[in-house]
Amino acid sequence: MGHDTAPTRPLVNGAEMPLLGLGTYPMDDAEAGAAVVHALEAGYRMIDTAENYRNEEGVGHGIARAGLARAELFITTKFNKEWHSREGVRTAWEHSATRLGLDYIDLMLIHWPNPGLGRYVEAWEGLVELLSERKVRAIGTSNFTPAQLTELMKATSVVPDVNQIQHSPWWPRHDELRFHAEHGIASQSWSPLGRGRGLLESPVVAEVAGEHGIEPARIVLRWHVQHGTVPLPKSIDPRRQRENLDVFGFSLSADQVSRLDSLAGGGPAVMDPMEFGH
Ligand code: NDP
């Protein structure tokens, strides 16, 4: 080993979260098992999975094979709309913990709000119970709007530790990030590299990468870090995984950050949580 781990930050409900994690969608169980072993060896400590990815067992095998102390790890999972009730969340926890082979989960998220179903407040109340029982160390949401987060906080007076949203230089999400920061909610970025759709190949990213003499992905991930968000880059490739973690030892200048900011609006539209969800 001997590889550096990411720095961490405190979350509102008391846990400590790494500032970068490994994404695992779309990996199957076998890919996820191998990727998690490589990532943990490379110094990753946070792994992001979900019921919906159907790879929690593979992630769990990777965790077991790597053999790190449990306290070193920060494992995130998310549950589907079928479990949006207080009892349902408890069942979702049992299923995920069993598949992962864990007796507690570090961070559990409501995967999508599904406003048509209208039961995300009940799902949140279920998570608050799990937190008080220490079955989870932190609780949060994914793809929630500021208005939906406000509803959760009004109903329970418990602030979500995390809201995980689609965020990259293409999708700056200023309103959401400002709202999160005002309330102490940590922002995690999904598709931080733009999911292989051309962000890394854009001339601006190439130019800044050239100025540092490093890979484009590291430039984009450093952009996230300097905006105060926590990226979850997915890679099955051990070399890319190492590259992606190596973003805490250099800085972008203000001018480089603003050139990357100018990519806003350049990619596909953000997925709308009022329309989409599982
Ligand atoms: P990313 O932005 O992480 O992009 C992943 C793609 O980039 C893959 O094709 C990967 O290929 C490639 N890649 C990774 N590193 C490099 C590199 N250094 N150089 C060049 N290419 C690279 O997209 P994702 O959509 O996967 O998002 C990340 C994670 O966010 C997911 O895995 C998942 O955990 C989470 N997520 C959450 C959602 C939610 O609703 N909460 C929705 C979608 C994702 P390769 O693997 O071959 O290296």
Side-chain angles (χ1 to χ4, degrees), residues 9-242:
R9 62 159 283 177
L11 298 175
V12 282
N13 295 308
E16 193 72 25
M17 179 179 74
L19 294 186
L20 185 143
L22 180 76
T24 66
Y25 177 80
M27 297 180 192
D28 64 20
D29 278 321
E31 285 172 334
V36 166
V37 170
H38 288 134
L40 295 177
E41 282 173 355
Y44 285 74
R45 293 295 176 264
M46 176 158 62
I47 308 292
D48 182 81
T49 181
E51 171 190 19
N52 207 55
Y53 303 167
R54 297 172 179 274
N55 63 16
E56 288 172 307
E57 282 189 15
V59 168
H61 286 144
I63 291 168
R65 261 158 53 209
L68 289 172
R70 176 68 184 92
E72 295 282 304
L73 305 174
F74 191 99
I75 309 302
T76 304
T77 195
K78 324 180 187 82
F79 58 85
N80 286 347
K81 65 181 174 191
E82 152 180 25
W83 311 110
H84 283 203
S85 66
R86 290 168 84 136
E87 268 316 297
V89 171
R90 195 165 286 280
T91 306
W93 182 91
E94 296 285 349
H95 291 172
S96 286
T98 302
R99 287 188 292 253
L100 288 162
L102 300 177
D103 58 9
Y104 69 91
I105 290 168
D106 295 275
L107 172 63
M108 198 157 177
L109 306 177
I110 307 174
H111 204 150
W112 288 88
N114 293 284
L117 185 64
R119 300 184 67 166
Y120 50 79
V121 172
E122 288 171 63
W124 182 244
E125 289 167 346
L127 281 178
V128 169
E129 283 177 15
L130 295 183
L131 181 67
S132 71
E133 294 164 20
R134 305 279 294 155
K135 289 178 184 292
V136 294
R137 297 294 192 255
I139 56 176
T141 55
S142 183
N143 305 299
F144 272 52
T145 66
Q148 291 162 345
L149 291 167
T150 301
E151 271 184 76
L152 303 186
M153 292 188 281
K154 280 203 173 130
T156 60
S157 58
V158 178
V159 177
D161 286 293
V162 165
N163 189 30
Q164 183 183 122
I165 60 173
Q166 187 178 11
H167 174 250
S168 80
W170 278 341
W171 313 297
R173 313 298 299 270
H174 295 301
D175 293 347
E176 288 88 346
L177 296 193
R178 196 177 311 113
F179 180 88
H180 297 168
E182 275 166 18
H183 292 273
I185 301 167
S187 304
Q188 290 187 340
S189 306
W190 65 260
S191 289
L193 302 174
R195 193 179 269 179
R197 292 184 181 159
L199 176 64
L200 297 181
E201 291 75 32
S202 73
V204 171
V205 174
E207 183 182 86
V208 178
E211 290 161 16
H212 284 268
I214 62 175
E215 302 81 5
R218 290 175 64 199
I219 296 297
V220 171
L221 294 169
R222 182 67 203 178
W223 175 92
H224 285 276
V225 170
Q226 288 185 218
H227 278 285
T229 65
V230 174
L232 305 169
K234 173 263 177 186
S235 182
I236 52 168
D237 180 78
R239 183 182 56 80
R240 286 171 166 181
Q241 287 182 355
R242 284 194 299 275

